[in-house]
Structures are given as C-alpha cells and as structure tokens.
Amino acid sequence: SLLIQCCESLLARGHEVRAVVAENRRIAQWCEQRGVPCFDDFNALREAPQAASFDYLMSITNLRMLPQWLLERPAKLAVNFHDGPLPRYAGLNAPVWALINGESEYGITWHEMVAGADKGRILVNRRFAVAADETVFGLNAQCYQAGLAAFNELIEQLESGAVAPQEQDFAQRSYFGLSQRPPAAATLDWN
C-alpha cells in the first residue's frame, strides 16, 4: 500500500509515474486502473520506451537489490525507502530486530541508492516512539505512516531543489542480513 500511496501523492502533485515494477497483484491492478505500465521484472525496463529517460527512480517496499545499470538510469537521483533508521538498522527485517533489541525509539529513512545495501546518503528521516508492548505489525504500520509523511517532505524538497543529502556515520551502522537469526534460533525460555 505504501507504493500505491506514494504514487498517488506524485500524481496528485502533477508528476508522471512512467512505470512500476511489481509482482504484487494489487499494485498491478492499481497500475492498470491508472494507466501506468507495470512490469514484473527489472530487466523489462531495459527496453521499455516508458523508461528510456526519467528523473527519479524510487524503490518503495522493494526487498531486492537493484542492478547497477538501473541505479545509473535516472537523470537526477535513485531513492530508496528503508523501514528503519539508518545507519543503525540497515538490512532486512529491521523492525523485528528493533523490537528484539528493546528499542524505545525507531524511525524510517529515505536515502540515496548506491551500490551496497542501505549505504547511500540520507535524504529524509523520521523518528517516533515505540510502545513497550509494540508488535511488529504495529511497528510496520508506524513505519508506513512515517514513510508516507516523509515521502511528501522529500517530494517537496526535490521539487524546490532544497534536498540536502547527509552522509551516514558508518561507525554507527549495524546490518541485519537475510539469513541472520536471533540467538538460540528464536526459541523462548519460559524461565
């Protein structure tokens, strides 16, 4: 839903969404209703006339690393939504790790896409409190709400030329990879 909401926001501001890459049926249906070309594979963009030239590439709720040739396509900037505060929570399943680590504050980041996972400069971020009894479902919902609000701020900055990318402090970075699991294989000790 975040990708659809962000696209709706772009369209409402008079911008053009040239193409979407998604396997999700709901997104494909939205694209069909809005007349936006939808592809199920990044490689389809190599030859698609709609993707011959564009200013910004937005990666929203995408779990795949984009190929370098695609990162080099936008005339201005490639941007990614990350459901965690960078650089502290880079990688996958970041909200889960934040809850496992007992965080009382969390956030989201819109950042520049470069080679390497979640390594680009920070464009916009949002922080918010995490309730002591928060669930992953609730934390993800907060991430999406904050992500949409921050997206609108990002678009305003891009429109006005006021975007000011900030380098990440990689000394503060932690990375959670696809195969990383909690200690004891996530078993519970009832004692």
Side-chain angles (χ1 to χ4, degrees), residues 115-181:
D118 301 326
K119 290 188 172 183
R121 296 176 298 171
I122 294 171
L123 304 173
V124 177
N125 60 18
R126 282 275 191 283
R127 304 289 176 141
F128 49 83
V130 176
D133 62 347
E134 187 61 87
T135 65
V136 172
F137 179 80
L139 189 54
N140 274 315
Q142 282 186 281
C143 287
Y144 279 23
Q145 289 173 342
L148 183 59
F151 181 76
N152 288 320
E153 179 183 332
L154 172 65
I155 296 307
E156 288 174 9
Q157 290 178 9
L158 293 174
E159 288 171 339
S160 68
V163 67
Q166 302 293 314
E167 296 292 338
Q168 293 189 47
D169 177 2
F170 290 114
Q172 302 296 317
R173 180 178 167 92
S174 48
Y175 180 81
F176 300 92
L178 177 63
S179 61
Q180 191 168 349
R181 299 290 182 264

Side-chain angles (χ1 to χ4, degrees), residues 19-78:
V20 170
V21 176
E23 296 173 352
N24 180 286
R25 183 176 174 195
R26 181 172 171 221
I27 294 170
Q29 288 173 335
W30 177 88
C31 287
E32 185 177 338
Q33 292 167 353
R34 290 301 224 145
V36 174
C38 185
F39 303 97
D40 61 2
D41 184 88
F42 298 123
N43 288 316
L45 294 177
R46 283 186 186 268
E47 304 301 323
Q50 304 88 333
S53 66
F54 53 92
D55 290 331
Y56 298 98
L57 172 66
M58 302 284 179
S59 178
I60 304 170
T61 63
N62 169 43
L63 298 177
R64 296 188 185 132
M65 294 293 292
L66 299 183
Q68 188 62 36
W69 67 263
L70 187 53
L71 294 178
E72 295 169 356
R73 285 294 277 286
K76 296 184 178 178
L77 194 61

